[in-house]
Amino acid sequence: MAFGNMGDDCGTGVAFTRNPATGEKKLMGEFLTNAQGEDVVAGVRTPMPIQEMADKFPEAFAQFEQVCKTLEDHYRDMQDMEFTVENGKLYMLQTRNGKRTAAAALKIACDLVDEGMIDEKKAVAMIDPRNLDTLLHPQFDPDALKKATPVGTALPASPGAACGKIVFTADDAKEWANRGEKVVLVRLETSPEDIEGMVAAQGILTVRGGMTSHAAVVARGMGTCCVSGCGAIKMDEANKQFELAGKVYHEGDWLSLDGSTGNIYGEAIPTVDASIGGEFKRIMDWADKYRQMNVRTNADNPRDAKQAMKFGAEGIGLCRTEHMFFEADRIPAIRQMICSDTVEQREAALEKLEPMQQGDFEAMYEAMEGKPITIRFLDPPLHEFVPTEEADIEQLAQDMGKSVQDIKNIIAGLHEFNPMMGHRGCRLAVTYPEIAVMQTKAVIKAALNVQAKHPEWHMVPEIMIPLVGEIKELKYVKSVVVATADEIIKAAGSDMTYKVGTMIEIPRAALTADEIAKEAEFFSFGTNDLTQMTFGFSRDDAGKFLDAYYEKKIYESDPFARLDQTGVGRLIEMAAKLGRQTRPDLKLGICGEHGGDPSSVEFCHNTGLDYVSCSPFRVPIARLAAAQAAIKNPRG
Ligand code: PEP
Ligand code: MG
C-alpha cells in the first residue's frame, strides 16, 4: 500500500496520456499534494494541473512521463491512470483505456493511425458509434455567441452547447424536463444519485470538482455538456439561487454553457446544427471503405432528406407518404376522400391530392439527387386523419354538401377497437384501390418529370406496399400498381423501370416469405410493427409495463430500440433465407427504428441484409456500426 497523504513530499493524481475532451496528444490530469485518490475524484478540493507536478516532484514526474509512453505503446490506446507519490517515489496504481468524448475518440484514433500504432480498421473499430451523437448535435449559433459575454468560466469538462433554465436539484431537472422545459442543472457537485437529473438536463454546471470529478466523467460518457469547478459561484442551495459576477440567478432563469470552452453565459443563446469535418470525415471515409451494407435514411420531406445526405445517406429506405397527407393544404381533400360514399366521390378527392403528392415526390427526388427512394404507400388507419374539432367537422360537411350529422356518423363508423391491427396498411388499398392508383400515378409521373430534367440520373422508382401478410393481397395491390404505372410509362414513351416490394412487418409475411418473394422485388423489414406483432404488445403502450420487465430481468432492454435477435431476429433470418430461395437477387433492408441501433445493425450485417435505413441523425452511427460489423465478421 502506498500513501499519498503522509506529508508534503507525497501526493496523488489521476491522468490521461492524451486529453480526453479534445484528444490532443498532451498529458492531462490533476494532482493533489498530501492527499489520497478519492480526494481528486470526489472534487472536494480543486486539484492542480498535472504539469505543476513537474515542479514539485521533478524525478517522479519524469519517470511518470516515461511510464505513460510505455503503457500507450503497449495498449496502443490512450490510458487513464491513477498513481501515488510517497516520499517522492512514484507508484502506479492502475491503468485502463481512458473514456473520452466523441471528438477526442476520433482525433485519438486518427493520430494513432498517423503514428503507426494502429491500422485504419482498428481505428474504425475503436469508436463507439453511439458517441457520435454528441458531434451531430447543436452548437451555439456563432453570430449569437459573438454578441454574448460570458459571466464566468470554469473547466470545459464535456463539450457541446447547452441552453436551458436553471434548476438546482436532479428531481427538479427531471420534473421540468418532463413538462417540456430545457434545463441546466447547477450543483455544488454531483453524485451518482443525480444521474436521472443529469440525463434530463441539457447541461450541467458544478461549483466544485475537476475534470475527473463525477460530473465531468459522467457527463462526458453521456455526451452532455458540462462545465465544472466554477469556484466563483456563491451557491445558496436552500433558496434555490446563486450569485455569479455580481448577479443573482434564480431557479428558472436562462443559462447557457459552452462545454468546449468552459464559458458560462447568463442568457439564452440559440444553437445551430453540427457539421461533420476533419477527423470525423476521415473515420467515416474509412468506415465507408470497410462496410458491406448500404445505409439509407427514413425521410419524408426534402429538409430531412438533405440533412441525411449530408450525413452520408445513400438513398431513402422509407418515405412514409402519410406524413405528407397531414400538410394543411391537403388535409381537406384527404378528409373528403375518407368521408366519400361512392368510388366517384373518392376519386374526385384523390384527383385533388394527386398533383400535391406528385410535387412532394418530385421535391424528394430532387433532394436526393437521383439516389433511390423507397416510397411506401398509405399505411395508418384512416380515422387518424378525420377532424375532431366541431368547426373542422362543420367545414368538412359544408365542403362535401353533407350534414354535420352525416360526417359524425362516418367518423363514428371508422372507430376501431385496435386500430394498429385494423383497417390499415395494404388493407386500405385492397378496399380502396383508387388510393393506390393515385399514389402510383404521383410516383411515376414525378419520376418521369425528374428523369427528363436530369437525364444523368438513373431513376428507378421503388414502391413499397405495407403490412402485407398474405401473398394474394400483395398480388392484388401490385396488379393495381403495375397496371397504372405501365400505362403512364407507355403513354410517356419512356423505358423507365420500377420495382414493387413489400415491408415484412407481420409475422405471417416472414413465415411465408418464399411465397411473398414471388411478387415482391424487395423486402424491407419493418421491425417496429414486426416487434409489436411478434411480442404481441403495443408499441404505444409497452412503455407502461416494460420497466417492470427490466427490473425483474425478464427483458434486458427495450425491444423497440434494440432488436430482439432471439425472437424477431429469428423471423428476419428465416424470411431473408426463404425470400432469397425464391428470388436470389431479392434486395433486403430494414427500416424500423432498429436500423440506427449499432447492435441491430451488426445483426443485419450478419444476416446478409443489403442496407439499413434510419433517421437522418443516426446515419453516421449506422455507417460506423456497419463497418465495425464487417471488420469483425466480413462477408464472403
Ligand atoms: C415499421 O413498422 O417498422 C415501420 C418502419 O413502419 P411504421 O413505423 O411506419 O409502422
Ligand atoms: Mg409499420
Side-chain angles (χ1 to χ4, degrees):
M1 177 91 182
F3 292 95
N5 56 355
M6 296 228 301
D8 284 344
D9 63 347
C10 302
T12 188
V14 178
F16 296 88
T17 51
R18 300 179 192 229
N19 186 317
T22 64
E24 189 192 359
K25 193 183 177 191
K26 191 172 162 211
L27 190 60
M28 203 216 81
E30 286 160 342
F31 188 77
L32 269 176
T33 47
N34 196 11
Q36 281 294 73
E38 312 86 73
D39 301 328
V40 182
V41 178
V44 177
R45 280 167 63 192
T46 301
M48 58 180 165
I50 191 88
Q51 280 72 16
E52 284 180 29
M53 181 188 159
D55 301 331
K56 281 213 159 249
F57 303 97
E59 268 175 46
F61 187 72
Q63 200 188 355
F64 179 62
E65 283 186 311
Q66 191 52 47
V67 170
C68 288
K69 184 168 175 351
T70 307
L71 289 173
E72 264 210 355
D73 285 351
H74 179 76
Y75 290 106
R76 293 176 184 269
D77 197 359
M78 181 262 266
Q79 295 299 295
D80 168 359
M81 303 151 299
E82 290 177 21
F83 63 94
T84 289
V85 175
E86 186 186 282
N87 302 330
K89 187 167 181 240
L90 175 71
Y91 293 89
M92 295 303 297
L93 303 185
Q94 71 169 42
T95 190
R96 59 186 165 190
N97 292 345
K99 288 205 167 61
R100 62 206 75 181
T101 63
L106 298 176
K107 173 152 176 55
I108 290 169
C110 290
D111 285 353
L112 290 175
V113 171
D114 294 340
E115 290 161 30
M117 301 257 271
I118 59 171
D119 61 14
E120 291 170 5
K121 285 186 181 172
K122 177 80 181 53
V124 167
M126 73 193 284
I127 312 285
D128 183 344
R130 287 165 304 184
N131 286 350
L132 295 185
D133 255 346
T134 59
L135 294 175
L136 308 173
H137 288 107
Q139 302 288 317
F140 286 133
D141 174 299
D143 291 333
L145 189 61
K146 265 187 223 145
K147 288 184 207 127
T149 313
V151 291
T153 185
L155 297 172
S158 182
C163 172
K165 291 182 178 167
I166 297 168
V167 290
F168 289 87
T169 69
D171 282 346
D172 285 344
K174 237 171 50 184
E175 203 182 304
W176 286 47
N178 279 344
R179 55 174 204 248
E181 301 270 15
K182 289 190 177 355
V183 295
V184 168
L185 178 61
V186 184
R187 305 280 289 146
L188 277 173
E189 61 205 339
T190 64
S191 65
E193 301 90 83
D194 293 329
I195 189 71
E196 286 187 32
M198 294 171 77
V199 170
Q202 304 293 306
I204 298 149
L205 171 63
T206 69
V207 179
R208 296 199 284 248
M211 296 284 278
T212 48
S213 64
H214 177 267
V217 171
V218 171
R220 269 204 300 276
M222 39 190 215
T224 299
C225 161
C226 176
V227 173
S228 68
C230 183
I233 287 180
K234 284 196 203 103
M235 183 65 125
D236 180 357
E237 278 185 318
N239 291 307
K240 293 194 172 175
Q241 60 183 43
F242 67 82
E243 194 187 319
L244 178 61
K247 187 179 163 192
V248 177
Y249 293 85
H250 302 94
E251 183 181 60
D253 289 349
W254 284 97
L255 200 71
S256 298
L257 302 177
D258 188 332
S260 308
T261 61
N263 283 340
I264 302 161
Y265 302 87
E267 62 194 281
I269 306 176
T271 54
V272 290
D273 290 347
S275 70
I276 302 178
E279 282 98 11
F280 193 112
K281 183 165 180 331
R282 264 184 102 188
I283 294 281
M284 283 297 140
D285 287 347
W286 290 333
D288 290 346
K289 189 159 138 190
Y290 296 110
R291 71 185 156 90
Q292 295 172 301
M293 274 193 303
N294 286 116
V295 176
R296 292 193 183 191
T297 193
N298 294 353
D300 39 65
N301 62 66
R303 188 195 60 243
D304 289 356
K306 282 189 187 134
Q307 179 66 66
M309 288 267 281
K310 280 194 210 148
F311 285 149
E314 295 164 302
I316 290 182
L318 174 64
C319 173
R320 292 173 163 106
T321 50
E322 60 270 15
H323 290 179
M324 299 163 162
F325 278 37
F326 282 104
E327 301 270 320
D329 61 343
R330 56 206 69 181
I331 196 74
I334 307 282
R335 289 173 175 166
Q336 288 166 29
M337 184 263 288
I338 294 169
C339 295
S340 298
D341 297 316
T342 63
V343 176
E344 290 71 31
Q345 272 178 15
R346 203 162 18 255
E347 280 175 343
L350 286 164
E351 218 167 285
K352 291 186 205 162
L353 285 170
E354 192 195 306
M356 300 186 213
Q357 279 261 282
Q358 185 183 325
D360 291 336
F361 297 141
E362 282 177 17
M364 292 300 285
Y365 282 132
E366 292 278 359
M368 291 306 287
E369 296 169 17
K371 290 190 162 60
I373 304 183
T374 304
I375 294 173
R376 180 182 74 184
F377 279 8
L378 191 63
D379 183 50
L382 296 180
H383 75 84
E384 287 191 13
F385 301 98
V386 294
T388 50
E389 302 286 322
E390 196 68 25
D392 293 335
I393 295 174
E394 280 167 18
Q395 181 65 53
L396 181 59
Q398 201 182 320
D399 291 348
M400 296 191 72
K402 289 185 190 290
S403 73
V404 167
Q405 195 50 49
D406 280 345
I407 298 290
K408 285 187 174 169
N409 289 345
I410 292 170
I411 294 172
L414 291 170
H415 171 80
E416 291 179 310
F417 284 103
N418 191 346
M420 279 308 248
M421 298 176 90
H423 192 194
R424 59 170 285 222
C426 65
R427 297 158 202 163
L428 294 169
V430 169
T431 41
Y432 306 126
E434 47 283 0
I435 299 178
V437 170
M438 181 281 280
Q439 292 203 290
T440 306
K441 282 185 188 167
V443 170
I444 301 294
K445 285 182 185 173
L448 286 168
N449 278 355
V450 173
Q451 181 72 82
K453 239 169 106 185
H454 302 278
E456 71 284 10
W457 295 350
H458 180 54
M459 307 284 302
V460 182
E462 297 173 358
I463 292 173
M464 180 153 77
I465 313 298
L467 223 72
V468 163
E470 154 63 41
I471 174 69
K472 287 191 211 125
E473 67 186 340
L474 174 60
K475 203 171 173 171
Y476 171 73
V477 180
K478 186 180 166 186
S479 71
V480 173
V481 170
V482 168
T484 311
D486 287 354
E487 195 184 315
I488 298 169
I489 293 171
K490 194 169 162 215
S494 163
D495 59 358
M496 180 176 275
T497 59
Y498 60 91
K499 289 191 163 74
V500 182
T502 186
M503 295 186 75
I504 302 290
E505 50 185 347
I506 289 189
R508 193 177 188 280
L511 294 166
T512 60
D514 48 346
E515 287 289 306
I516 304 277
K518 286 181 190 157
E519 293 294 333
E521 290 168 275
F522 61 86
F523 284 175
S524 180
F525 291 98
T527 45
N528 302 333
D529 273 309
L530 192 59
T531 299
Q532 162 169 266
M533 300 205 201
T534 302
F535 278 87
F537 49 58
S538 156
R539 55 200 263 193
D540 303 310
D541 300 325
K544 287 188 194 139
F545 54 79
L546 277 178
D547 277 345
Y549 278 72
Y550 309 142
E551 260 165 44
K552 300 193 166 117
K553 309 236 178 309
I554 297 171
Y555 297 136
E556 251 176 50
S557 58
D558 181 351
F560 290 104
R562 190 174 176 176
L563 191 75
D564 158 50
Q565 296 181 16
T566 320
V568 180
R570 189 178 287 186
L571 282 173
I572 294 175
E573 281 164 346
M574 183 192 296
K577 199 164 151 223
L578 288 174
R580 282 201 173 133
Q581 265 169 25
T582 302
R583 195 187 282 266
D585 63 348
L586 183 72
K587 194 164 186 128
L588 300 173
I590 179 175
C591 63
E593 280 310 299
H594 308 87
D597 167 66
S599 70
S600 313
V601 170
E602 182 179 1
F603 171 84
C604 294
H605 167 86
N606 293 338
T607 309
L609 266 53
D610 297 295
Y611 70 88
V612 297
S613 188
C614 57
S615 58
F617 276 86
R618 293 172 92 191
V619 165
I621 297 173
R623 284 162 70 197
L624 187 58
Q628 292 180 343
I631 289 167
K632 197 163 145 193
N633 185 17
R635 284 184 195 162

